[in-house]
Amino acid sequence: MKITMVDLHGQYERIREEINNAIQEVLDTTAFINGPQVKTFAQHLAEYNQVEHVVPCANGTDALQIALMALGLQPGDEVIVPVHTYVATAEVIALLRLEPIFVDCVADRFTIDVTKIEEKITPRTKAIVPVHLYGQCADMEPLMDIARRHKLYVVEDTAQAIGATYTFSNGLQQKAGCIGDIGTTSFFPSKNLGCYGDGGALFIRDHELAERARMIANHGQKIKYHHSVVGCNSRLDTMQAAILDVKLKYLDEYSAARNQAAEHYDKGLATVKGIILPQRAANSTHVFHQYTIRVQNHLRDELKSFLAEHDVPSMIYYPIPLHLQEAYAKKGQGQGTFPVAEQLSEEVLSLPMHTEMKAEEQEYIIEQIRTFFN
C-alpha cells in the first residue's frame, strides 16, 4: 500500500461530480475574477462560522497582513506571537515594520502560553496573534481577558483549525477565528478546508472593520479608481471559491473522519513507551489538521528515518523555533530563551492524517512505531 501524509486525490474522487460541475459552471460563465461564486462562498462560510463578515483573499499570509493593516497598526508597534508556529505569522508583522514579540507555548496544547503574555506587554504593544495550532484553539478565554484589560487587538491565526469550536466557562461557544477582532485562515490544498490552488479569508464581526479589510484587499479602493488607503491586490479567484463552496458542505464530515483516525492512533499507540500522544483541551474541540506526537529521549529523528525506510511518511512542524531563525534573531533571545518551544522542536513528529485514512494503513503505521520502540 502507498501511504501519504495527505490524500487529496481520494478526497476529490468522493465528490468528483460536484467539483467538476462547479468548475464547469465557472468555465461556462468565464467570470474568473470576482465571479458570483466568490460572494456565495463567503456568505456560506459566514453562516457556518456564525460570524457577520467573511472577506476572501488570495492566501492565508495575505489574510494576516490585511488584518494587521486594517487595524491601523503603525511601524514600531509590537505584536505578540507564539514562538512555535509557521514563519508566516511573524513574517507579515516584520514586513509591515511592526515588531514581533515572541512568547513560549504550552507543551500539552502546543499553543501560546497565555500565562506568559502579560510580562511581554509594553506601552508599544498593540495586538496579540494566537495561533490555533495543529487543529485546536489556543486558550482564548484568559487571552481575551488580557487583551481587554490592556486594550489590545486580537488576530486569530486559524489556518490549521477551521471548524474547531471553543467553549467559554459560561457555556458560550464560538468557532475558531471568530472570537477576537479578526480571524484569518488559509485554503492551501492540504488544509482541512482546502482549495485546488491558493486562497485565504478573514472572519470579522465589526462592519466598518470588514469594509476596511475589503478595501485594503482591493488596492485600497471601495469605488473603482478611488484609492482611499494604501492597499494590496489579494483576491480569491472564482474557480477556487466554487471548489471551496462544495467542500464546505463536507467540512464537519471531514473533521469527524480526522477525529476517527486520531482515535485509532490513540488506541494503537497508547501503550508505547517513549512517545506522548496529542492532548485534547477540555474547552476546545480538535479538528486534527495534524496528528502530532512527541518523541522523547532524543529519538525523534531516528524514528522519522525508520518510518521512511518502511515507506511511512512523517513531517516535523516546526524544526526551528522563530527566535532561532536568522531572520528573527534578537540579542538576548538565543538558545534557552523559550525552553518549551525548543524542546518541542526536537520532539514533535506529525503522522499521516487526512480524511481518507484507511484502518489498514493506520495499523501498519502503528505496527512500525511499536517495532521501533520494542
Side-chain angles (χ1 to χ4, degrees):
M1 73 186 103
K2 181 174 175 55
I3 298 174
T4 58
M5 285 295 292
V6 180
D7 183 7
L8 295 179
H9 186 266
Q11 188 186 71
Y12 163 68
E13 286 295 339
R14 287 204 291 142
I15 54 174
R16 172 192 282 266
E17 186 174 355
E18 289 179 82
I19 291 290
N20 289 356
N21 288 342
I23 292 172
Q24 190 61 54
E25 184 177 352
V26 176
L27 293 173
D28 288 342
T29 61
T30 67
F32 300 122
I33 303 296
N34 289 329
Q37 290 87 345
V38 178
K39 184 176 181 181
T40 299
F41 168 63
Q43 289 174 336
H44 288 164
L45 185 55
E47 291 166 5
Y48 174 86
N49 272 333
Q50 297 180 326
V51 70
E52 283 75 4
H53 303 278
V54 167
V55 180
C57 63
N59 55 69
T61 306
D62 276 8
L64 284 165
Q65 179 174 322
I66 293 164
L68 295 173
M69 293 172 70
L71 293 173
L73 304 190
Q74 298 299 311
D77 286 347
E78 295 176 348
V79 180
I80 291 173
V81 296
V83 73
H84 180 64
T85 183
Y86 185 56
V87 69
T89 314
E91 185 176 51
V92 295
I93 296 169
L95 281 171
L96 293 173
R97 296 171 60 201
L98 308 171
E99 185 75 18
I101 303 298
F102 299 131
V103 171
D104 212 347
C105 53
V106 287
D108 58 348
R109 201 167 183 147
F110 301 116
T111 55
I112 191 167
D113 187 342
V114 178
T115 67
K116 297 186 182 301
I117 289 177
E118 283 195 279
E119 65 191 53
K120 296 298 183 80
I121 295 174
T122 76
R124 293 197 298 160
T125 308
K126 296 296 186 293
I128 308 171
V129 182
V131 179
H132 303 318
L133 203 64
Y134 301 148
Q136 68 181 337
C137 297
D139 198 2
M140 292 300 293
E141 185 164 9
L143 188 147
M144 292 300 298
D145 180 60
I146 291 169
R148 290 189 190 100
R149 283 191 283 107
H150 293 274
K151 296 181 172 55
L152 305 177
Y153 295 115
V154 174
V155 177
E156 299 171 69
D157 184 337
T158 321
Q160 297 187 15
I162 190 167
T165 300
Y166 185 89
T167 302
F168 288 81
S169 57
N170 64 0
L172 174 67
Q173 293 187 329
Q174 290 182 292
K175 289 292 188 182
C178 304
I179 302 168
D181 297 279
I182 303 178
T184 67
T185 198
S186 164
F187 301 127
F188 188 80
S190 63
K191 294 294 193 287
N192 291 36
L193 179 61
C195 55
Y196 294 167
D198 224 335
L202 299 89
F203 311 143
I204 308 174
R205 295 195 179 280
D206 182 79
H207 177 75
E208 290 185 11
L209 188 57
E211 287 298 299
R212 184 172 176 83
R214 285 194 186 94
M215 187 165 56
I216 289 169
N218 186 31
H219 297 287
Q221 62 183 353
K222 195 171 183 180
I223 302 170
K224 196 175 177 83
Y225 300 127
H226 293 258
H227 306 277
S228 304
V229 297
V230 174
C232 58
N233 177 26
S234 184
R235 54 198 172 205
L236 179 67
D237 74 65
T238 310
M239 195 80 75
Q240 304 306 334
I243 291 164
L244 287 164
D245 201 39
V246 172
K247 294 184 73 176
L248 177 60
K249 295 184 294 184
Y250 297 95
L251 181 56
D252 287 343
E253 180 182 320
Y254 292 160
S255 297
R258 288 172 177 270
N259 269 273
Q260 184 177 3
E263 289 166 8
H264 197 150
Y265 276 136
D266 284 351
K267 185 177 180 180
L269 298 172
T271 59
V272 177
K273 304 297 183 184
I275 64 174
I276 300 173
L277 303 183
Q279 303 298 303
R280 279 75 154 174
N283 54 7
S284 174
T285 60
H286 206 313
V287 294
F288 283 100
H289 175 61
Q290 303 294 344
Y291 185 89
T292 302
I293 63 173
R294 293 170 56 194
V295 184
Q296 299 176 299
N297 304 315
H298 307 287
L299 292 174
R300 191 268 310 277
D301 293 347
E302 287 184 44
L303 174 60
K304 180 173 173 57
S305 296
F306 178 85
L307 292 175
E309 290 168 6
H310 292 81
D311 300 317
V312 176
S314 60
M315 292 293 291
I316 300 170
Y317 306 108
Y318 301 96
I320 306 174
L322 291 181
H323 70 293
L324 299 180
Q325 298 281 357
E326 183 179 356
Y328 300 94
K330 290 183 185 178
K331 187 176 180 180
Q333 286 195 355
Q335 193 81 34
T337 309
F338 301 104
V340 176
E342 290 170 29
Q343 182 179 0
L344 289 178
S345 71
E346 297 176 354
E347 293 182 346
V348 292
L349 187 68
S350 295
L351 303 179
M353 169 56 71
H354 52 81
T355 60
E356 313 305 307
M357 293 293 297
K358 297 178 177 61
E360 56 268 30
E361 293 175 337
Q362 289 194 271
E363 287 300 329
Y364 179 77
I365 296 167
I366 291 165
E367 178 187 347
Q368 299 312 310
I369 294 173
R370 284 179 167 277
T371 299
F372 176 83
F373 283 101
N374 286 339

